Amino acid sequence: MTATSSSGRQLIGADLALAGIGKIARDQHVPAIETSEAFTLAATVSHSGGLDGMENHAEIEDLIADRPDIGIVSLTMPPLPRFDYAMKALAAGKHVMLEKPPGATLSEVHKLQRLAQAKGVTLYASWHVKHAPGVAAARAWLRDRTVTGMRITWHEDVRVHHPGQDWIWEPAGLGVFDTGVNALSIMVEILPVEVHLREADLKVPGNRQMPIAAKLDFAGPGDMKVTADFDFRHEDPPTWDMEIDTTDGPLKLLDAATKMIVNGQEQALPDQTEYGGVYHRFAELIETGQSDVDLRPFRHVADAMLLGTRETVADFHHED
Amino acid sequence: MTATSSSGRQLIGADLALAGIGKIARDQHVPAIETSEAFTLAATVSHSGGLDGMENHAEIEDLIADRPDIGIVSLTMPPLPRFDYAMKALAAGKHVMLEKPPGATLSEVHKLQRLAQAKGVTLYASWHVKHAPGVAAARAWLRDRTVTGMRITWHEDVRVHHPGQDWIWEPAGLGVFDTGVNALSIMVEILPVEVHLREADLKVPGNRQMPIAAKLDFAGPGDMKVTADFDFRHEDPPTWDMEIDTTDGPLKLLDAATKMIVNGQEQALPDQTEYGGVYHRFAELIETGQSDVDLRPFRHVADAMLLGTRETVADFHHED
């Protein structure tokens, strides 16, 4: 986190523009903004017309030119096109939020960080699943404990969760790491120590560029190990679980961190939505003049692509 | 660069241990240390006996235990095994130099940086070709100019430069990026602006994991572009050239930055060796209590592995 020149006052109903009106914007961002006290949805940026009854601009340049009063922009489009929107919004002095992953490359996110710092505005690289109900509780429980190992199992059916989406199989789409990076964003958030990748096996369909499954081995201090098993070839319901061993017993974080079990006892968790937490955090960062760009989950994916051994597996088609 | 707690006095003949006694150590590190005023080679660490007439320790732990008076360690082994040596040496309070690339993953280098900072010692991630005769001159000439484009051509015969070496084809070996990252280390050193990867084509032999050739397209500010063409399938002599276009005319940096031509005029360059420059820089960092970990060249390689489109090409064998 780095300080910005922001004012420190509390945001109440501050005008925000949402750019990129696809499935994730409609399903998650719009409802979260509508229930947020901090923000008011004031305009959209979309080539395809935006939302019914809402002011829309086809290009980010139009928004910047026509609505200089809107100082906050949230960007939901895929990472490859997102960079130019982010550079233009930051250059115009807007506070900017990025969907996950924060870029198509690591280097471009470093560029955005430098520009945000130079302009004295907030850059927030969001990781929505960090705001799942069990994450803060798991982090708090693990903070002063000795973690001896961790196992991540993150299996889902790509045909259910990304129906017909070809972009996910292109390089910037990350393949199974599109969901795996969510698990890694929880991992870095809750572990009290840092880990690094020692070995990775990537299974890549013969007709695709990106892996459909991956196994990762991370090393922490001493003999501490983390294994992660990501797989897109899984029938619903998904398995989104992690088990953390400590010298005080095991902690399980299940169903995408919506359920937490410590030493066999299920724990009470707060009632909160991921995107509610994301916009709450964005408001907090603007109010306190900070940026929050946690590159670690994405860096672990880049490390897996660097260090991974690829094996070709059966072709993938959207229809069986 | 981050400050350490070092003393600020000039190094003269300071004892240094060299760990990893292979081809690069014998050909480059030992002669550079022998001609350095700052360092004296006091011991080696090697499983295979080290150098004739020189004190050798089989393990880094033995060196640390037996020679607590040696406070400086240079690590030349490949990146995958190097991490453990670096962690142990830093944990023991030694100043540490890393050969290029600085790790097998980006995340592990961040771990080393944190440990070096916590211990108040120098960590130097060296990039030897940054010390080629033309690099500082090119950087100085470009500093206040407007660069409009850059083309990198980095072709060599892998059979000549890595004879019989299988490790280079394994994931941490980087394939053609083992030499390509040298070009990228010059690129980040001389360009007055930052660039990021927009597209990459990787050619991977059917029987290998890592690319034998790569074409990269980087974007800088505005319309500024950098293209890089790396190829291991090239008969000697190698081509290690870069051409930089500016609004004041072109600069050419040829033959691995040993020759510089500005607007058609060849420029006089200092008489210096790459590894002489590397050890000079290491001494300077220790003397001034700094670290120097430039991750940008390696991050660009990770970005290429993330974003690159792979094409399978003919199998590679060491013998035709």
Side-chain angles (χ1 to χ4, degrees), chain A residues 106-107 111 209 303 310, chain B residues 106-107 111 209 219 303 310:
Chain A
L106 291 159
S107 302
K111 272 193 183 176
Q209 285 286 330
D303 286 344
R310 285 172 169 241
Chain B
L106 289 160
S107 302
K111 272 193 183 176
Q209 285 286 330
D303 286 341
R310 287 174 167 239

Side-chain angles (χ1 to χ4, degrees), chain A residues 79-81 83-84 104-108 110-111 114 170-172 174 194-198 209-210 219-221 296 298-303 305-311, chain B residues 79-81 83-84 104-108 110-111 114 170-172 174 194-198 209-210 219-221 296 298-303 305-311:
Chain A
L80 209 50
F83 174 77
D84 287 328
T105 62
L106 291 159
S107 302
E108 74 190 60
H110 287 273
K111 272 193 183 176
R114 278 190 300 273
E170 296 302 311
L174 299 184
E194 297 290 335
V195 299
H196 74 280
L197 193 73
R198 291 297 279 178
Q209 285 286 330
M210 288 286 113
R296 293 173 297 167
F298 191 39
R299 196 154 59 213
H300 286 310
V301 175
D303 286 344
M305 298 300 287
L306 258 180
L307 194 60
T309 299
R310 285 172 169 241
E311 182 192 337
Chain B
L80 208 50
F83 175 76
D84 288 329
T105 61
L106 289 160
S107 302
E108 72 190 61
H110 286 274
K111 272 193 183 176
R114 278 190 300 272
E170 297 302 312
L174 299 186
E194 297 291 335
V195 299
H196 74 280
L197 195 72
R198 291 299 279 178
Q209 285 286 330
M210 287 287 113
R296 292 173 297 167
F298 191 39
R299 195 153 60 212
H300 286 311
V301 175
D303 286 341
M305 299 299 287
L306 258 180
L307 194 59
T309 299
R310 287 174 167 239
E311 182 193 337

